[in-house]
Amino acid sequence: MRTLRALAVAAPAAALLLAACGGDDTTGGGNGDGDVVELRYAFWGSDERAQMTQDMIDKFEAENPGIRVTVDYADFGAYFDKLATSVAAGDAPDIMTMGGAYHTEYAGRGALLDLAEVDDVIRTDQISDDILAHGTIDGSLYAIPTGVNGYAMVANPTVFAQAGVELPDDTSWTWDDFAQMCTQIGTALGDAGYGAQDLTNHNTLALWARQHGEALYTEDGEVGVSTGTLAEWWEFSNQLRESGCTPPATLSEELASQSAPEQTLIGTNNGGMSLVWSNVLEALSTASGEELQLLIPPGVAGGEPGSWLGPSMYYTISARTEHPEEAARLVDFMLNEPAAAESFLTDRGLPVNTDVREAIMDDLTPVQQAEAEYLNRLEEAVGDPVPPAPVGSTETASIVTRLNSEVLFDRTTPQEAAEQMIAEVETAISK
């Protein structure tokens, strides 16, 4: 089995807290003296994700009757505050789901177990080094991706048809092409909708930067995008708003505060396109009742590939767990057992274990199969791997959201927003 020590780099996704504990006796678990081992498992998500997780836990406990796991969950917005409180109080869950750069930050605080300590339990031979590298900090593996997904332009073919606009060829379209068809859709729909929801967030800026030969963060953990590139994006975003492609500031601000699929323009069939992570296609399709389509995001004419394959989220183990081997058994089960993948399917991204991925393909819904097909296509169009997100970069998302609001309402210029963003992110990652 591949050693877990010599892997490199870290990358994007999100996180939230939940708890898990339980008990039973007999074989396949326990601490060797007949006592029940109780584990706490923390994650974020909807009631549907919680049901999937409990189904997986039931299977795990059936195979490990000496271990019981209790889960608790909350929505994404509350997770980090709750997790931070638990970790600070010395009461961290045994297994914690991480996202974005949070695994970097918690590892840096000594809160995460170096998984080399349990490399005889967690199997990694069917997970690529490129995937494992996302969870490696300073040469040690602290987090393993739950699955992979990709940034995508989701399109509603029904809205396109209503507007009399054809879907683009996503192997060659540019941002200029996007702007033209987005404006056509917005004009055709009138008061009934828009060509797209406002696109600005830190993931979009990372995509835009890479297409311009830059990066949101360098491999040295510094800001790698220029003021000019950021200002150019916000100028483009203003043009989209003014042309009727995207909503006015008041509606965009309202939509930015509503993360549920059924609250989005795509989910309500009031928008033609939106930039999303591929693993939310199922939820958006359910909300809209339409057969939505994933498109490779538009590019810059003559520019570089900007897309990347990234972890959906991460599994980590608390450095203070009293049961590292049992916690590792649960992580191994979630990563490597088809039974677990049958519970999750693509909810946590496409399985990172290639054998498991193949085993569940026939169980996927048509929408989930479309996600898998999209990732296969995207893999051929991605650029270089994304450098690690540095400690402190978890503040970037809120910085971008706040500054974007200032630009939307014309309270600051694109140039001013770009300068302020770089200054604030530099401050955040230098603390």
Side-chain angles (χ1 to χ4, degrees), residues 252-266:
S252 287
E253 185 87 344
E254 179 182 341
L255 291 167
S257 66
Q258 301 172 341
S259 58
E262 61 273 11
Q263 296 171 322
T264 62
L265 291 183
I266 284 284

Side-chain angles (χ1 to χ4, degrees), residues 258-345:
Q258 301 172 341
S259 58
E262 61 273 11
Q263 296 171 322
T264 62
L265 291 183
I266 284 284
T268 57
N269 297 310
N270 292 315
M273 293 174 282
S274 184
L275 281 170
V276 300
W277 288 103
S278 57
N279 64 323
V280 302
L281 180 64
E282 182 91 23
L284 287 172
S285 297
T286 299
S288 70
E290 300 290 343
E291 293 185 10
L292 305 180
Q293 186 169 328
L294 294 175
L295 306 173
I296 295 173
V300 175
E304 300 183 20
S307 298
W308 68 92
L309 287 178
S312 311
M313 51 192 81
Y314 300 89
Y315 295 128
T316 68
I317 297 175
S318 170
R320 301 188 63 172
T321 181
E322 296 180 357
H323 308 290
E325 180 177 341
E326 289 79 6
R329 287 189 193 180
L330 178 57
V331 172
D332 177 76
F333 186 84
M334 292 189 288
L335 288 168
N336 296 310
E337 291 301 325
E342 288 166 3
S343 297
F344 295 150
L345 296 179

Side-chain angles (χ1 to χ4, degrees), residues 156-179:
N156 189 325
T158 299
V159 173
F160 270 74
Q162 289 172 350
V165 177
E166 292 186 2
L167 287 166
D169 175 0
D170 68 348
T171 65
S172 61
W173 69 326
T174 66
W175 284 107
D176 288 340
D177 297 327
F178 165 83

Side-chain angles (χ1 to χ4, degrees), residues 236-247:
F236 178 65
S237 179
N238 274 345
Q239 293 169 13
L240 297 179
R241 173 168 52 93
E242 292 165 0
S243 71
C245 161
T246 56

Side-chain angles (χ1 to χ4, degrees), residues 353-367:
N353 179 314
T354 53
D355 287 348
V356 171
R357 186 184 306 176
E358 185 64 30
I360 67 166
M361 286 308 254
D362 290 342
D363 297 327
L364 301 182
T365 67
V367 173

Side-chain angles (χ1 to χ4, degrees), residues 205-265:
L205 294 181
L207 175 71
W208 180 261
R210 284 165 60 84
Q211 290 174 340
H212 285 78
E214 301 176 358
L216 196 55
Y217 310 112
T218 68
E219 293 185 2
D220 296 328
E222 299 179 351
V223 174
V225 61
S226 66
T227 301
T229 296
L230 292 174
E232 185 179 349
W233 169 262
W234 264 307
E235 289 165 0
F236 178 65
S237 179
N238 274 345
Q239 293 169 13
L240 297 179
R241 173 168 52 93
E242 292 165 0
S243 71
C245 161
T246 56
T250 50
L251 179 54
S252 287
E253 185 87 344
E254 179 182 341
L255 291 167
S257 66
Q258 301 172 341
S259 58
E262 61 273 11
Q263 296 171 322
T264 62
L265 291 183

